[in-house]
Amino acid sequence: MISLPLVAIALLPFTFAARQLDAGVVHAPIVRRSHSNRVANLPKAVEALRNKYRYQAANVKNPNLKRSSTVAIPITDEENDSSYSGVVSIGTPPKNFNLVLDTGSSDLWVATTSCTSCGSDIPEFDPSKSSTYKATSSPLKIDYGSGWVQGTIAQDSVTFGSFEMSQELLAATDFSSGLIDDGLSGIMGLGFASLSTLNTTPFWEAFYNANDLSEPLFSFYLERYVNQPNVICAAPGGTLTLGGTNSSLYQGSIEYLNLTGPQSYWSLTVSSVSVQGKTINIDSSSGLAAIDTGTTLIGAPALIAASIWAQVPGSVELIGDYQGLYGFPCTTDVTVSISFGGTNWAISPLDMNLGTLNDTMLGNVNTTSRMCVGGIFDVSIDSGPAWIIGDTFLKNVYSVFRASPAAVGFAQLASGLSSSNGSSDPNPVQVTGSTSPSTCSTGSGSSTSGSTGSGSASPNKNVAVSVALLASVAGCFTLFL
Ligand SMILES: *[C@@H]1O[C@H](CO)[C@@H](O)[C@H](O)[C@H]1NC(C)=O
Ligand SMILES: *[C@@H]1O[C@H](CO)[C@@H](O)[C@H](O)[C@H]1NC(C)=O
Ligand SMILES: *[C@@H]1O[C@H](CO)[C@@H](O)[C@H](O)[C@H]1NC(C)=O
Ligand SMILES: *[C@@H]1O[C@H](CO)[C@@H](O)[C@H](O)[C@H]1NC(C)=O
Ligand SMILES: *[C@@H]1O[C@H](CO)[C@@H](O)[C@H](O)[C@H]1NC(C)=O
């Protein structure tokens, strides 16, 4: 019943050769972890997105539902916006785990106590303590671009918000190093069933199919910490509303854009990008984009990434390990907006600046300015979505993932929430969740379950200073692509 539907991939070398490889659709959630800084981790992350996948048809199950309608689920921002997680309860009695919330994949997996490669910082689910756990002996491996997870297919009670069902999941016994960050225990896929390696209906879609969502959609507000002066491993990071939208989180109307192509990824078509005031029109043949909360940055086709950065004076294509990424003078505010056929949605310059490159990272790139790394890179995918629109973009809008009619919607964030107009003003981060920002100093402090109170991370309006800190302070940092 279960065959591995993915073309295998293992880590491709980060070279032009990788671009010749083909087949299938890029799979989005790639998780990279390291205790070194963000800029140092970028090459591995870019490499990861170049891996290729295929997907299988869905096998719709009949979930055993407990009724609900709309629920707001707090999101945790992991490591300065590198990823966003939510609490998912598994088993009977239920145990809480922080899982990556990923619109770019469609499987649910959790690390178990049988995990051989999980470090002590990965909270594990103990199947023997759950009275509703149903084991199988069917092994399964799920490949992600930067790694894999394997285990056995199982089923258990899963609760997310107040929604509960008996869900098929992967009980993970092993995963590749760095696939998830400390404090997290797995991934909850929020894509469509056709992408599922388990060949099952994703949690959200089961409730949609059963008409149990008050509206056939879910919505994200993602907070911004990339500009924070503090070293942040985990902090209140926004809200996922399952089954509805929350009108306090956005203003104006929601612009819905029909999905492009079949329901697999949440795919739109990029129609134009504007950079430093200049508009670049995108041919529809190179505009297919996966809208992916599980990806940190924005991946664009090679030629388009080059045209984008050509509008930023002094920018350079990086070389060696950093090939595919671009550097630009740190004093420049890079203002980019993206249209999917309607509004030009602006990205804050804060999100376009990932930190400073030191001399080693620059190699023999010839420049006299202090250079920073940009948030748009050349992902060079040969088939499937040409673009991966990740959190660098999604932090700037309220986003709605609607199953019927199938669309992704964007709206301007409510005033007082993170800037959505591309101004260089970072705006204070709103601390709305139930967790407080935690630091990385112990290297293991990113588990947020049980912490309380509302920390106040003070905004740092001096971009240059915060950028310098990014590069000079070595905290734990994960880049999810
Ligand atoms: C978060 O950002 C701050 C300020 O830019 C930086 O000092 C810190 O090292 C970053 N934390 C991580 C985990 O990268
Ligand atoms: C909508 O968001 C606001 C601001 O975060 C929150 O106070 C409110 O409870 C939310 N409403 C619902 C119905 O979740
Ligand atoms: C979007 O899809 C809806 C429903 O399928 C359809 O009625 C509408 O014409 C489409 N809009 C555009 C702009 O294609
Ligand atoms: C640049 O940063 C990298 C990664 O943190 C480090 O290994 C390297 O030594 C640094 N090089 C210089 C010249 O500071
Ligand atoms: C853009 O955002 C900044 C910061 O929130 C605000 O001061 C400014 O008025 C906004 N500009 C527009 C045109 O909305």
Side-chain angles (χ1 to χ4, degrees):
M1 150 184 150
I2 302 293
S3 64
L4 185 65
L6 304 176
V7 175
I9 337 299
L11 297 173
L12 297 174
F14 187 82
T15 63
F16 280 111
R19 301 180 189 185
Q20 310 308 323
L21 297 181
D22 158 317
V25 179
V26 116
H27 182 69
I30 292 174
V31 181
R32 277 288 183 182
R33 173 170 189 287
S34 155
H35 286 279
S36 61
N37 74 36
R38 150 192 329 255
V39 174
N41 287 331
L42 285 169
K44 293 182 221 157
V46 171
E47 164 193 291
L49 263 197
R50 295 200 162 153
N51 299 305
K52 310 298 187 290
Y53 286 79
R54 261 201 341 232
Y55 58 86
Q56 256 189 355
N59 167 21
V60 176
K61 289 162 38 109
N62 189 17
N64 170 24
L65 300 168
K66 183 193 279 185
R67 299 223 156 233
S68 279
S69 53
T70 301
V71 65
I73 297 156
I75 292 175
T76 298
D77 182 316
E78 307 287 338
E79 298 174 8
N80 297 4
D81 312 344
S82 63
S83 72
Y84 293 86
S85 71
V87 173
V88 176
S89 307
I90 303 174
T92 307
K95 290 288 198 184
N96 289 352
F97 298 94
N98 278 38
L99 306 186
V100 175
L101 302 176
D102 182 19
T103 60
S105 71
S106 301
D107 293 299
L108 174 60
W109 69 267
V110 64
T112 66
T113 45
S114 309
C115 183
T116 50
S117 56
C118 298
S120 58
D121 295 325
I122 302 290
E124 293 165 351
F125 171 62
D126 186 348
S128 72
K129 300 226 164 79
S130 172
S131 62
T132 43
Y133 185 80
K134 296 188 194 101
T136 76
S137 53
S138 308
L140 183 72
K141 183 177 179 198
I142 302 173
D143 281 311
Y144 293 87
S146 66
W148 46 266
V149 56
Q150 63 187 17
T152 52
I153 297 169
Q155 187 163 340
D156 206 342
S157 168
V158 171
T159 303
F160 187 48
S162 58
F163 290 89
E164 182 195 345
M165 68 177 280
S166 181
Q167 165 85 55
E168 201 165 50
L169 52 84
L170 183 72
T173 53
D174 196 11
F175 61 84
S176 56
S177 161
L179 184 61
I180 57 166
D181 184 23
D182 287 353
L184 303 184
S185 301
I187 294 175
M188 174 176 258
L190 297 168
F192 290 94
S194 64
L195 280 181
S196 168
T197 303
L198 280 160
N199 217 356
T200 196
T201 306
F203 187 90
W204 77 270
E205 203 176 5
F207 287 90
Y208 161 67
N209 289 342
N211 277 320
D212 264 14
L213 302 180
S214 43
E215 294 180 77
L217 49 79
F218 56 86
S219 318
F220 274 92
Y221 161 51
L222 299 175
E223 298 194 27
R224 172 184 302 118
Y225 285 82
V226 73
N227 55 311
Q228 291 304 298
N230 310 321
V231 179
I232 290 165
C233 259
T239 307
L240 165 57
T241 304
L242 185 52
T245 56
N246 181 338
S247 58
S248 329
L249 298 175
Y250 67 92
Q251 53 188 310
S253 56
I254 298 169
E255 176 180 271
Y256 284 103
L257 301 139
N258 287 350
L259 291 195
T260 305
Q263 300 184 0
S264 58
Y265 294 102
W266 293 94
S267 301
L268 298 180
T269 303
V270 177
S271 60
S272 69
V273 178
S274 121
V275 193
Q276 313 302 76
K278 163 134 199 260
T279 299
I280 299 164
N281 291 314
I282 311 295
D283 187 81
S284 63
S285 65
S286 50
L288 187 62
I291 312 302
D292 183 7
T293 58
T295 288
T296 312
L297 305 181
I298 297 170
L303 291 175
I304 295 167
S307 329
I308 289 172
W309 288 105
Q311 304 310 317
V312 180
S315 70
V316 290
E317 186 171 4
L318 299 174
I319 56 176
D321 288 347
Y322 286 77
Q323 189 194 332
L325 288 156
Y326 284 79
F328 65 94
C330 295
T331 49
T332 303
D333 271 359
V334 178
T335 59
V336 174
S337 59
I338 300 182
S339 164
F340 301 91
T343 303
N344 279 310
W345 298 104
I347 300 169
S348 167
L350 295 168
D351 293 316
M352 290 302 299
N353 189 328
L354 305 174
T356 309
L357 288 155
N358 70 19
D359 289 346
T360 311
M361 296 162 173
L362 275 168
N364 40 18
V365 166
N366 195 13
T367 171
T368 49
S369 313
R370 198 161 56 87
M371 299 294 273
C372 284
V373 189
I376 296 181
F377 67 99
D378 157 16
V379 66
S380 289
I381 301 168
D382 294 323
S383 60
W387 295 71
I388 307 293
I389 304 290
D391 304 324
T392 292
F393 176 82
L394 294 169
K395 279 180 266 179
N396 294 275
V397 292
Y398 190 67
S399 54
V400 184
F401 296 80
R402 188 178 73 184
S404 175
V408 174
F410 298 123
Q412 202 180 339
L413 291 171
S415 83
L417 303 185
S418 303
S419 169
S420 63
N421 68 3
S423 138
S424 60
D425 180 344
N427 285 340
V429 169
Q430 305 288 303
V431 177
T432 55
S434 61
T435 56
S436 5
S438 64
T439 67
C440 301
S441 52
T442 63
S444 63
S446 59
S447 176
T448 55
S449 326
S451 59
T452 55
S454 64
S456 58
S458 57
N460 176 8
K461 305 212 173 196
N462 185 331
V463 177
V465 167
S466 66
V467 158
L469 280 169
L470 261 185
S472 63
V473 178
C476 50
F477 182 70
T478 308
L479 196 59
F480 290 73
L481 284 181

